[in-house]
């Protein structure tokens, strides 16, 4: 790689090899890596620790500044703003992201107009270790049966994505009356 360093390699859905590093993406053309794009939204010299291509054409980068989604139209930070070292595709429409603050399940492609689903799992969720930025390799893998194994500061966490459900929605609030200084407020 001319005048650039790569800290994460990934394969896209067509089998093409790519390299990600501080501020750039490169593609291997069969003989050498050629610059594919400059990552304009990431702060300059942001270390990229992991990269994962998904079937929707996006590339997800785990960096010192969080989780980034890169598409043809640009880059966006996605819900996690701390060190991200692990990104594993569960094959069920979600990425499992290991960060300094725990484990996160991120929806790859939300329905048009819908917000991207992001669930956080930490010590309150039954995980012994909350730091998934442990320097191990590989940091996370999907087994043939679909279970995910991710390394953390407390050891290995194994998750079966098929058994993780969406948390129940909180009940809607219903306001029956409003008082101001002990008197009912006027209704409009």
């Amino acid at each position: 790689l001319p005048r650039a360093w790569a800290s994460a390699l990934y394969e896209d859905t067509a089998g093409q090899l790519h390299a990600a590093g501080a501020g750039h993406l490169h593609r291997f053309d069969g003989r050498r890596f050629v610059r594919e794009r400059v990552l304009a939204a990431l702060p300059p010299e942001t270390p990229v620790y992991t990269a994962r291509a998904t079937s929707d054409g996006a590339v997800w980068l785990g960096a010192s500044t969080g989780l980034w989604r890169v598409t043809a139209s640009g880059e966006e930070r996605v819900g996690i703003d701390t060190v991200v070292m692990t990104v594993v595709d569960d094959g069920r429409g979600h990425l499992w992201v290991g960060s300094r603050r725990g484990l996160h399940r991120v929806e790859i492609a939300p329905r048009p107009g819908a917000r991207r689903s992001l669930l956080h799992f930490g010590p309150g969720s039954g995980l012994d270790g909350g730091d998934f930025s442990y320097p191990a390799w590989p940091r996370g893998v999907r087994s043939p049966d679909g279970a995910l194994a991710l390394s953390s500061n407390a050891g290995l966490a194994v998750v079966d994505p098929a058994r993780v459900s969406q948390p129940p929605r909180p009940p809607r609030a219903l306001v029956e009356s409003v008082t101001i200084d002990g008197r009912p407020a006027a209704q409009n």
Side-chain angles (χ1 to χ4, degrees):
L1 292 169
R3 296 190 197 116
W5 57 273
S7 50
L9 296 174
Y10 66 96
E11 183 179 353
D12 66 19
T13 55
Q16 186 79 42
L17 179 65
H18 298 261
H24 67 273
L25 296 179
H26 283 77
R27 179 181 42 80
F28 189 67
D29 70 2
R31 293 182 350 170
R32 61 190 172 95
F33 281 94
V34 293
R35 182 166 289 196
E36 186 171 32
R37 118 185 247 156
V38 173
L39 300 171
L42 276 73
E45 302 305 314
T46 297
V48 174
Y49 300 117
T50 188
R52 175 80 52 195
T54 51
S55 59
D56 63 349
V59 176
W60 297 76
L61 303 176
S64 64
T65 56
L67 180 65
W68 294 83
R69 183 173 182 264
V70 180
T71 63
S73 59
E75 302 102 35
E76 65 172 323
R77 188 180 328 199
V78 180
I80 303 166
D81 63 357
T82 188
V83 174
V84 169
M85 300 284 279
T86 308
V87 178
V88 180
D89 188 337
D90 69 5
R92 303 171 63 85
H94 296 94
L95 296 176
W96 289 77
V97 178
S99 81
R100 192 163 272 161
R101 293 189 189 129
L103 188 60
H104 313 263
R105 187 183 79 174
V106 180
E107 187 176 22
I108 293 173
R111 294 179 318 277
R115 290 183 53 193
R116 186 178 309 282
S117 167
L118 176 71
L119 293 178
H120 175 256
F121 302 91
S125 308
L127 288 176
D128 286 337
D131 186 353
F132 283 81
S133 62
Y134 188 73
W137 191 258
R139 293 183 185 109
V141 295
R142 183 173 73 200
S143 68
D145 69 356
L148 307 177
L150 303 109
S151 60
S152 78
N153 63 341
L156 192 64
V158 178
V159 177
D160 181 355
R163 296 184 60 196
V164 176
S165 62
Q166 193 74 2
R169 291 181 182 246
R172 291 181 54 184
L174 173 65
V175 178
E176 294 180 348
S177 64
V178 176
T179 59
I180 301 173
D181 293 329
R183 287 180 269 160
Q187 293 181 335
N188 293 338

